[in-house]
């Protein structure tokens, strides 16, 4: 909320040193890279009609690099309305960053513009900071100061770092429950939140309605913006953003359920129409999250994949599993979303005495499509080269879903889900070979999407206990979104010896405590649906020895 005591001093200071040298650097980043020369037309405002507190969506930081971090906010005095109340003109916003919460030590500041064509969002990439250092930051606009956020920069690439603590989270359907997970994350002593997709949901499910989206399901740009804004009205989500920098990945629901590359996940939507939707969804996503202006989406294209490092302790690859993936096996335009597939030839008789499985379930393409890809060939090569080159202790693959198998054995054969890595076995094999062939130690895959806590072995030949374990996998449960039934979860556990832990009945996140010798994964969880006052408990804990792949129950 506004703090009048600090406001007048801060505001007059804004006029005095509005564009000091370091501020200019950040301003150039924010405006030059993101908006281009045609942007920022019209008179710049310092106040707007009606006033009103503009920082209703809070503050956030992200993409911690050695000596730099991205600061974010959006000016929106009327967050519950579909149309923003601010005039269509650029508005001056001052940012401040310091080593202490009183903004007295090592103060850095500057002025940037919140532009109407970007929903008056602000992205400032502050460079030249101390590596591995904690900072406080805030924004000032229209006579109001934002709350103070906390962030940190990544350590120097050659720093001998002893710890990296991450909260791994995904899937926060607003309607499926409250954000108690974020309330706990906000209070954790961690270095960053690693959010691996489904920040918003573009769908509703009357079955699990515990609170309502404020607006119609999004299709237009205004609706995607309003959808993002309404998620950020949750105080626990805002607190988790204000407390830590976030490293972000996107998944299907951030745009549209089960889209694959340029193909929509909804029947009847033409490709051109879907790409226009993807552009609107990516733009709204960028406008509401601390993504570097260097990676701002251009139309339907968004540079989601990136590599980050944490001293000599860890490399983190954020992997894009949506934009470059090939169509699913047995793709049916009349039903383009993910579906169960029986990986057999159509007409397979099955066991004597049992009826045929339904014809629509059969698909003999799953295992035969060697060219299929989840990441696209360029991203595959980039990752494989990076893995082979990395000398850091841990190699973390921040992708969006589950790599280890999760199909179900039936009398007719194995049933897999077409949208998961199970539906792309050739792509999975190439990924695993990129780990096994150069014998890359310390690889841990981190995922979400599946709405269940998972600890699993990754083998070159999945589920073949004779095949060596080459890496480890942890998937977090969802913040709120519902998962498999107990029966389904039991069938998946029984059908997959690589799965060491699988719980779908509780919502939660995974707390990752990474050190030079071992890393621990603690699954924090609560009952579903999540209540506002829920307290989380430890559902299970696993450790991975840096010299030996595979999670061990602790
Ligand atoms: Fe999800």
């Amino acid at each position: 909320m506004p703090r009048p005591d600090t406001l007048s001093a801060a505001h007059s200071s804004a006029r005095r040193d509005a564009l000091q040298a370091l501020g200019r650097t950040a301003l150039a980043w924010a405006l030059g890279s993101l908006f281009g020369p045609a942007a920022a037309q019209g008179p710049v405002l310092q106040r707007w009609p009606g006033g009103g507190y503009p920082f209703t969506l809070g503050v956030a930081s992200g993409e911690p690099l050695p000596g730099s971090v991205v600061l974010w906010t959006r000016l929106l005095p009327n967050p519950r309305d579909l149309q923003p109340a601010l005039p269509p003109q650029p508005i001056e916003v001052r940012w401040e960053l310091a080593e202490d919460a009183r903004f007295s030590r090592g103060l850095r500041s500057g002025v940037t513009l919140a532009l109407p064509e970007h929903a008056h969002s602000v992205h400032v990439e502050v460079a030249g900071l101390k590596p591995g250092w904690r900072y406080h930051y805030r924004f000032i606009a229209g006579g109001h100061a934002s709350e103070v956020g906390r962030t940190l920069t990544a350590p120097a690439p050659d720093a001998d770092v002893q710890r990296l603590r991450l909260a791994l989270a995904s899937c926060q359907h607003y309607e499926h429950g409250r954000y108690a997970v974020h309330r706990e994350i906000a209070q954790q002593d961690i270095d960053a939140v690693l959010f691996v997709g489904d920040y918003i949901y573009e769908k509703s499910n009357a079955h699990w309605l515990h609170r309502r989206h404020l607006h119609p399901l999004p299709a237009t740009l205004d609706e995607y913006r309003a959808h993002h804004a309404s998620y950020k009205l949750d105080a626990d989500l805002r607190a988790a953003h204000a407390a830590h920098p976030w490293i972000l990945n996107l998944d299907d629901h951030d745009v549209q359920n089960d889209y694959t590359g340029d193909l929509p996940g909804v029947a009847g939507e033409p490709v051109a129409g879907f790409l226009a939707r993807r552009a609107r969804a990516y733009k709204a996503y960028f406008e509401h999250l601390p993504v570097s202006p260097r990676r701002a989406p251009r139309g339907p294209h968004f540079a989601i994949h990136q590599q980050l490092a944490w001293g000599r302790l860890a490399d983190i690859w954020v992997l894009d599993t949506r934009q470059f993936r090939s169509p699913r096996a047995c793709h049916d335009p009349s039903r383009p979303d993910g579906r169960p597939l029986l990986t057999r030839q159509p007409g397979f008789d099955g066991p004597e005495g049992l009826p045929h499985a339904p014809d629509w379930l059969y698909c003999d393409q799953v295992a035969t499509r060697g060219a299929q890809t989840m990441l696209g060939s360029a991203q595959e090569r980039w990752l494989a080269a990076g893995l082979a080159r990395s000398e850091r202790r841990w190699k973390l693959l921040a992708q969006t879903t589950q790599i280890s198998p999760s199909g179900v054995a039936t009398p007719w054969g194995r049933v897999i889900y077409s949208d998961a890595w199970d539906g792309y076995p050739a792509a999975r094999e190439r990924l695993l070979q990129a780990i096994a062939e150069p014998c890359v130690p310390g690889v841990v895959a981190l995922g979400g999407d599946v709405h269940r806590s998972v600890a699993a072995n990754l083998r070159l030949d999945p589920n073949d206990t004779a095949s060596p374990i080459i890496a480890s996998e942890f998937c977090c449960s969802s913040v709120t979104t519902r998962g498999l039934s107990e029966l389904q979860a039991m069938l998946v556990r029984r059908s997959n010896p690589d799965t060491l832990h699988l719980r779908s009945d509780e919502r939660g996140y995974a707390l990752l405590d990474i050190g030079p010798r071992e890393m621990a994964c603690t699954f924090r969880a609560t009952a579903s649906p999540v209540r506002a006052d829920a307290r989380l408990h430890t559902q299970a804990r696993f450790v991975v020895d840096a010299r030996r792949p595979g999670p061990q129950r602790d």
Side-chain angles (χ1 to χ4, degrees):
M1 295 302 291
R3 295 169 25 155
D5 53 334
T6 59
L7 207 55
S8 53
H11 204 68
S12 62
S13 160
R15 295 174 188 286
R16 204 169 48 244
D17 58 358
L19 285 172
Q20 55 181 234
L22 295 169
R24 276 192 212 103
T25 309
L27 185 66
W29 264 119
L31 295 182
S33 314
L34 172 56
F35 305 127
Q41 302 298 313
V44 173
L45 299 181
Q46 288 164 347
R47 308 250 170 193
W48 51 88
Y53 181 65
F55 301 109
T56 54
L57 306 187
V59 300
S61 70
E63 298 192 25
L65 300 177
S68 82
V69 71
V70 176
L71 309 180
W72 170 91
T73 193
R74 180 189 170 195
L75 308 183
L76 190 62
N78 59 329
R80 294 184 172 275
D81 299 338
L82 191 55
Q83 292 298 328
L86 292 173
Q89 285 163 263
I91 297 175
E92 194 177 278
V93 180
R94 176 181 168 86
W95 60 269
E96 294 183 340
L97 176 142
E99 295 175 29
D100 63 327
R102 295 175 152 216
F103 291 84
S104 61
R105 210 167 54 241
L107 177 67
R108 301 277 303 272
S109 64
V111 173
T112 188
L113 295 180
L115 299 179
E117 56 266 45
H118 295 288
H120 289 109
S121 61
V122 173
H123 298 77
V124 180
E125 188 156 28
V126 187
L129 302 173
K130 296 178 188 174
W133 211 257
R134 294 197 175 264
Y135 289 95
H136 296 74
Y137 64 95
R138 66 184 169 192
F139 298 91
I140 297 155
H144 300 275
S146 73
E147 65 184 294
V148 174
R150 289 178 293 147
T151 192
L152 84 168
T153 55
D158 59 350
D160 191 15
V161 181
Q162 296 299 304
R163 85 156 210 186
L164 168 59
R165 291 193 98 211
L166 297 170
L168 172 68
S170 77
C171 299
Q172 52 182 22
H173 201 306
Y174 186 83
E175 294 186 334
H176 287 203
R178 302 283 169 167
Y179 291 161
V181 165
H182 287 307
R183 193 184 60 236
E184 180 170 299
I185 287 175
Q187 292 160 1
Q188 286 284 11
D189 171 23
I190 57 173
D191 298 306
V193 175
L194 180 56
F195 197 89
V196 289
D198 292 354
Y199 189 92
I200 61 164
Y201 276 73
E202 89 302 358
K203 285 176 68 171
S204 197
N205 184 339
H207 209 59
W208 310 119
L209 206 55
H210 296 279
R211 55 177 172 174
R212 284 185 182 279
H213 285 133
L214 299 190
H215 302 291
L217 294 176
T220 67
L221 177 58
D222 280 346
E223 288 165 355
Y224 271 103
R225 285 170 167 166
H227 216 59
H228 272 279
S230 62
Y231 274 62
K232 283 225 169 54
L233 290 180
D234 189 292
D236 292 321
L237 177 58
R238 291 199 308 276
H241 275 297
H244 314 290
W246 284 40
I247 299 167
L248 293 156
N249 202 340
L250 284 79
D251 202 17
D252 54 336
H253 289 288
D254 294 303
V255 179
Q256 183 185 68
N257 181 44
D258 286 351
Y259 77 91
T260 51
D262 295 348
L263 294 179
V266 170
E269 185 157 327
V271 168
F274 167 69
L275 289 176
R277 170 193 284 271
R278 201 171 85 184
R280 295 190 292 269
Y282 283 171
K283 180 169 168 56
Y285 183 97
F286 171 77
E287 289 169 350
H288 290 83
L289 285 151
V291 176
S292 166
R294 288 177 286 106
R295 300 198 298 117
R298 293 179 187 274
H301 308 293
F302 192 176
I304 293 169
H305 65 285
Q306 61 171 325
Q307 184 188 353
L308 301 106
W310 209 259
R312 282 167 28 197
L313 186 62
D315 269 318
I316 305 170
W317 284 271
V318 175
L319 300 178
D320 182 342
T321 61
R322 285 285 162 194
Q323 267 184 113
F324 309 113
R325 72 154 80 181
S326 46
R328 284 182 284 269
C330 297
H331 173 70
D332 176 359
S334 70
R335 206 204 140 175
D337 52 337
R339 63 188 175 102
L341 295 177
L342 179 53
T343 54
R344 287 281 194 173
Q345 296 275 0
F348 170 69
D349 279 345
E352 210 171 315
L354 284 179
H356 278 276
D359 281 348
W360 60 264
L361 198 57
Y362 287 97
C363 176
D364 62 347
Q365 296 179 0
V366 175
T368 58
R369 298 165 76 237
Q372 63 166 195
T373 177
M374 200 69 154
L375 304 175
S377 55
Q379 192 180 189
E380 281 187 13
R381 288 194 303 273
W382 167 77
L383 175 62
L387 283 170
R389 211 171 37 233
S390 174
E391 293 183 347
R392 295 193 165 84
R393 183 63 56 95
W394 298 98
K395 293 92 179 168
L396 308 178
L397 309 183
Q399 50 91 50
T400 62
T401 186
Q402 184 178 337
I403 295 173
S404 57
S406 58
V408 171
T410 75
W412 299 274
R414 195 168 173 87
V415 174
I416 57 101
Y417 187 63
S418 64
D419 190 61
W421 280 92
D422 270 348
Y424 294 76
R428 176 166 61 194
E429 191 176 327
R430 287 195 300 277
L431 172 67
L432 296 171
Q433 273 170 346
I435 300 167
E437 299 270 307
C439 201
V440 182
V443 177
V444 181
L446 305 172
D449 177 53
V450 288
H451 311 165
R452 53 187 183 245
S453 308
V454 175
N457 292 318
L458 289 177
R459 302 176 193 270
L460 191 53
D461 296 319
N463 276 341
D464 178 356
T465 52
S467 179
I469 298 166
I470 57 170
S472 313
E473 177 169 51
F474 297 113
C475 294
C476 58
S477 183
S478 51
V479 174
T480 51
T481 319
R482 284 301 183 105
L484 297 177
S485 69
E486 216 15 71
L487 173 64
Q488 291 168 319
M490 185 265 290
L491 292 172
V492 174
R493 279 193 297 266
R494 283 192 179 178
S495 304
N496 296 283
D498 284 348
T499 302
L500 306 169
H501 175 81
L502 188 152
R503 286 271 304 265
S504 198
D505 57 322
E506 294 187 317
R507 313 279 61 87
Y509 71 103
L511 186 61
L512 304 170
D513 210 329
I514 302 165
R517 280 183 291 281
E518 69 172 30
M519 73 176 280
C521 173
T522 306
F523 292 114
R524 299 284 296 164
T526 185
S528 189
V530 181
R531 292 165 44 122
D533 60 352
R535 294 279 176 262
L536 278 67
H537 69 99
T538 293
Q539 180 189 87
R541 190 170 187 274
F542 287 81
V543 294
V544 181
D545 189 312
R547 296 158 301 180
R548 192 158 66 97
Q552 309 291 321
R553 195 179 286 272
D554 194 24

